[in-house]
Amino acid sequence: MADTVCALQKNPNWKGRRGPVVLVIMDGVGYGKYEEGDAVKASRMKYLDWFKANCPNTKLKAHGTAVGLPTDDDMGNSEVGHNAMGCGRVFAQGAKLVGESISTGSMYQGAVWKKLVKNVQDKNSTLHFIGLVSDGNVHSHIDHLKAMVAQANKEGVKKIRVHALLDGRDVPPTSALEYFEPLQKFLADFGADYQIASGGGRMFMTMDRYNADWSMVERGWKAHVLGEGRQFASAVEAIETYRKEVPGVLDQDMHEFVIAKDGKPVGTIEDGDSVVYFNFRGDRALEITAAFEEKNFDHFDRKRVPQVEYAGMMEYDGDNHKPAQYLVNPPSIDRTMGEYLTKSGVHLMAISETQKYGHVTYFFNGNRPGEFDKSLETYVEVPSDVVPFEQRPWMKCAEITDKVIEAIKSGKYQHIRLNYPNGDMVGHTGVFNAVVCSMEGMDLQLGRLKAAIEEAGGIMCITADHGNSDDMYEHKKDGSVSKDASGEPKPKTSHSLNPVPGIIYDPEYKGEYDDKNLNEGLGISSWPATIMNLMGFVPPADYDKSIVNMK
């Protein structure tokens, strides 16, 4: 990769700025379609409103084909959003790649699929599927699971077990039965020994990320592998029981269930089995993968480690080659902005708290861990609180801002990128008041950054990776809000399809670009060319169009 990247050409007409170009990513903050349920509009956003009223700004696409997803009905997410903002071009992403691999049959012709199937056929053992059961298309899609089960049946696999995680985050918050009831029937209709074996909420078990809470992975391991946990006769019974016992429980927070017959779990994972982790997105796949693959694993006591053929849907970590086996090749993303800037001698900083640290580093750099040049790059992770986000909705935005202001004042960096996770992480809770609190807390930090940028003579670019907090209520087709039995609005916990800000604050503007007319109709993949323009560089010719028109 490094051989293909050269230093960027300088724009001789650029007059320079005293301070750095700072990219502020307000995770999950879009322009809402509806007045009711838009927590951004409902918040007192003194500084964000000022930027919108007084700075060049446009609306950018952050979902669907604009970020490499199959259709414009597909919501964007933090992974593909940061890929787009980091590489300056649109690459076909996980959902699209997996869908194409399945529809063309190329997955089933691959050596890994053949190895998994042959293993269970030769040993008369079980094929296990672990993953998120919904059609959210952010981490997984239930159609991918069904297609693989159907193919395994066609190839004569006799015993299949599904370890099914509830979503309620990329789909409506209590929609699990809409997926689990048909899935149970789908498996039963084969007339073979196919059934759901275990499960639970995605924010309770299995799907931790960035080493934030390994106890989640431990709970998943116990249920999926060891068969330890509360027993039920079926997944549907488990979901219905928990809802009666814990009124208002969201799918994502539901506790574990283990399907058992006569007190014995029906689907523990044993030596000789094959296991597919069918989520295609990497960040919430790496830790459970490590539990299956690492010999010197010390995050929790696994009790026993079955000798299995394990494969991920995709390669979740390309540099460290995790997992060792995978079914679909990930997008090959090269020539990212970070690589170009370091080749050009730019000192840069990337910072967020734990929840989004990997996004401003790993995903921003094209799914590549680590720095391109440690002598030029500083990566800072502010540890997140391990508490429900609605209990600390301000999260670590102030601490992130402290460090960014310090970095601006140091004069060391020409470029700084930061992520405030509030709008996304708190938005996913569905707690409207908490989201308003998170927005107002974040807005105070925008004000602090504004003052620092003014003092330093830099440029501040404000955007988001996708919408979320801008669309907090479920709406009907006629635009009215859906209500629950008590008459309260039904919370929406998934991302929105709304556009996101494209704001440029340049207090020492010197006329090098047209500050009255920004380019319209673009996506967030236009940020790298824009940032290069605002640093006095000429972007690569094949990068997506800049937001600014250079004079």
Side-chain angles (χ1 to χ4, degrees):
M1 183 187 293
D3 294 337
T4 66
V5 172
C6 302
L8 294 165
Q9 291 182 328
K10 293 187 176 180
N11 177 358
N13 298 320
W14 185 253
K15 299 173 183 176
R17 298 293 185 273
R18 293 184 295 119
V21 175
V22 178
L23 176 64
V24 181
I25 302 167
M26 306 181 298
D27 212 295
V29 179
Y31 289 98
K33 180 180 178 182
Y34 305 103
E35 189 77 25
E36 195 172 0
D38 186 338
V40 183
K41 284 182 183 174
S43 304
R44 294 178 180 175
M45 304 292 281
K46 173 183 176 181
Y47 295 104
L48 183 57
D49 288 346
W50 186 92
F51 286 123
K52 289 177 181 178
N54 295 281
C55 299
N57 68 90
T58 185
K59 294 180 180 180
L60 300 173
K61 299 172 187 174
H63 75 285
T65 55
V67 289
L69 297 171
T71 75
D72 284 336
D73 292 329
D74 294 313
M75 67 185 79
N77 62 66
S78 298
E79 176 191 27
V80 302
H82 284 77
N83 276 171
M85 287 187 286
C87 71
R89 292 152 290 153
V90 177
F91 287 81
Q93 287 289 343
K96 188 173 184 179
L97 292 173
V98 173
E100 290 174 351
S101 180
I102 288 173
S103 63
T104 63
S106 61
M107 176 191 290
Y108 311 130
Q109 299 305 314
V112 174
W113 175 265
K114 289 181 176 179
K115 185 178 181 181
L116 296 172
V117 171
K118 186 175 187 300
N119 177 61
V120 298
Q121 289 172 334
D122 290 349
K123 297 174 181 174
N124 196 28
S125 57
T126 305
L127 175 59
H128 298 265
F129 293 96
I130 306 173
L132 191 64
V133 173
S134 81
D135 56 3
N137 219 30
V138 172
H139 290 268
S140 69
H141 199 296
I142 191 171
D143 287 353
H144 299 162
L145 169 63
K146 289 181 175 180
M148 289 188 291
V149 170
Q151 179 66 25
N153 179 262
K154 189 182 296 184
E155 296 186 32
V157 173
K158 296 177 181 177
K159 187 175 180 181
I160 290 177
R161 294 293 182 266
V162 178
H163 304 270
L165 297 165
L166 283 68
D167 190 347
R169 200 170 166 88
D170 300 322
V171 294
T174 55
S175 59
L177 291 177
E178 296 174 23
Y179 305 102
F180 278 74
E181 286 180 329
L183 179 59
Q184 280 190 181
K185 184 177 186 303
F186 173 80
L187 295 172
D189 284 349
F190 284 101
D193 188 7
Y194 296 178
Q195 56 185 304
I196 298 172
S198 70
R202 59 179 282 183
M203 295 304 289
F204 178 75
M205 59 197 289
T206 312
M207 284 178 60
D208 183 45
R209 66 177 175 194
Y210 308 146
N211 304 307
D213 185 2
W214 276 94
S215 67
M216 285 175 59
V217 188
E218 181 176 15
R219 289 191 286 270
W221 181 268
K222 286 180 177 178
H224 309 322
V225 178
L226 307 179
E228 295 180 2
R230 186 173 176 184
Q231 295 185 350
F232 297 88
S234 73
V236 169
E237 178 191 84
I239 294 166
E240 291 175 339
T241 301
Y242 278 130
R243 285 187 178 163
K244 288 176 184 175
E245 293 178 352
V246 189
V249 65
L250 301 182
D251 293 345
Q252 62 181 336
D253 299 320
M254 197 168 285
H255 283 207
E256 89 293 337
F257 57 82
V258 174
I259 309 308
K261 186 175 182 180
D262 299 326
K264 184 178 179 182
V266 300
T268 57
I269 299 177
E270 304 292 340
D271 289 348
D273 289 349
S274 292
V275 179
V276 175
Y277 190 72
F278 65 86
N279 287 10
F280 48 75
R281 178 167 153 175
D283 55 348
R284 294 191 183 275
L286 283 167
E287 291 175 39
I288 188 67
T289 293
F292 275 101
E293 291 194 336
E294 289 184 7
K295 290 183 178 179
N296 300 317
F297 183 89
D298 60 1
H299 298 287
F300 58 84
D301 182 2
R302 293 175 290 183
K303 296 187 180 179
R304 65 177 180 85
V305 184
Q307 300 303 302
V308 299
E309 289 292 347
Y310 176 85
M313 181 64 92
M314 303 187 76
E315 186 177 36
Y316 304 129
D317 180 344
D319 271 36
N320 294 307
H321 303 298
K322 305 289 185 182
Q325 301 183 122
Y326 50 93
L327 296 170
V328 181
N329 290 324
S332 179
I333 299 176
D334 62 354
R335 298 188 297 110
T336 63
M337 181 177 77
E339 190 170 9
Y340 272 113
L341 293 182
T342 52
K343 281 287 183 180
S344 305
V346 171
H347 283 84
L348 64 87
M349 176 181 180
I351 178 171
S352 186
E353 61 178 279
T354 305
Q355 288 297 329
K356 298 293 179 175
Y357 169 73
H359 289 81
V360 290
T361 55
Y362 174 83
F363 288 122
F364 204 92
N365 288 338
N367 307 335
R368 180 189 184 280
E371 298 88 345
F372 291 106
D373 187 335
K374 289 187 177 182
S375 69
L376 292 171
E377 296 175 275
T378 302
Y379 292 174
V380 180
E381 177 183 357
V382 177
S384 290
D385 292 323
V386 185
V387 296
F389 300 112
E390 68 272 19
Q391 295 180 13
R392 301 286 191 281
W394 45 87
M395 298 185 70
K396 296 295 183 181
C397 61
E399 290 85 347
I400 293 168
T401 308
D402 290 344
K403 293 183 181 297
V404 172
I405 291 174
E406 183 181 328
I408 292 171
K409 289 182 175 180
S410 75
K412 177 180 177 182
Y413 303 100
Q414 292 88 55
H415 173 57
I416 300 169
R417 61 180 183 261
L418 65 134
N419 181 302
Y420 291 132
N422 307 56
D424 189 41
M425 302 312 297
V426 186
H428 279 309
T429 69
V431 182
F432 193 90
N433 286 356
V435 181
V436 169
C437 180
S438 80
M439 288 295 95
E440 295 181 353
M442 182 191 72
D443 189 65
L444 294 173
Q445 310 315 314
L446 294 178
R448 296 176 64 205
L449 289 181
K450 177 178 180 289
I453 287 291
E454 287 171 357
E455 183 179 341
I459 299 175
M460 185 171 167
C461 302
I462 304 172
T463 193
D465 51 349
H466 56 76
N468 185 336
S469 53
D470 45 284
D471 191 15
M472 293 298 302
Y473 292 161
E474 292 288 343
H475 285 83
K476 300 175 183 176
K477 288 185 178 179
D478 64 2
S480 63
V481 174
S482 298
K483 303 290 181 68
D484 62 21
S486 64
E488 290 295 314
K490 286 186 178 179
K492 181 180 178 184
T493 55
S494 60
H495 297 166
S496 73
L497 300 178
N498 295 325
V500 301
I503 301 171
I504 298 173
Y505 174 53
D506 185 0
E508 295 186 1
Y509 173 67
K510 298 177 182 178
E512 306 98 327
Y513 60 91
D514 184 353
D515 68 335
K516 304 301 181 188
N517 298 289
L518 299 185
N519 289 314
E520 300 292 332
L522 303 178
I524 54 176
S525 59
S526 289
W527 275 117
T530 307
I531 290 167
M532 290 172 178
N533 281 152
L534 298 176
M535 295 182 70
F537 293 116
V538 178
D542 64 342
Y543 263 35
D544 286 350
K545 188 177 182 179
S546 173
I547 297 168
V548 296
N549 285 304
M550 303 303 292
K551 292 182 178 178

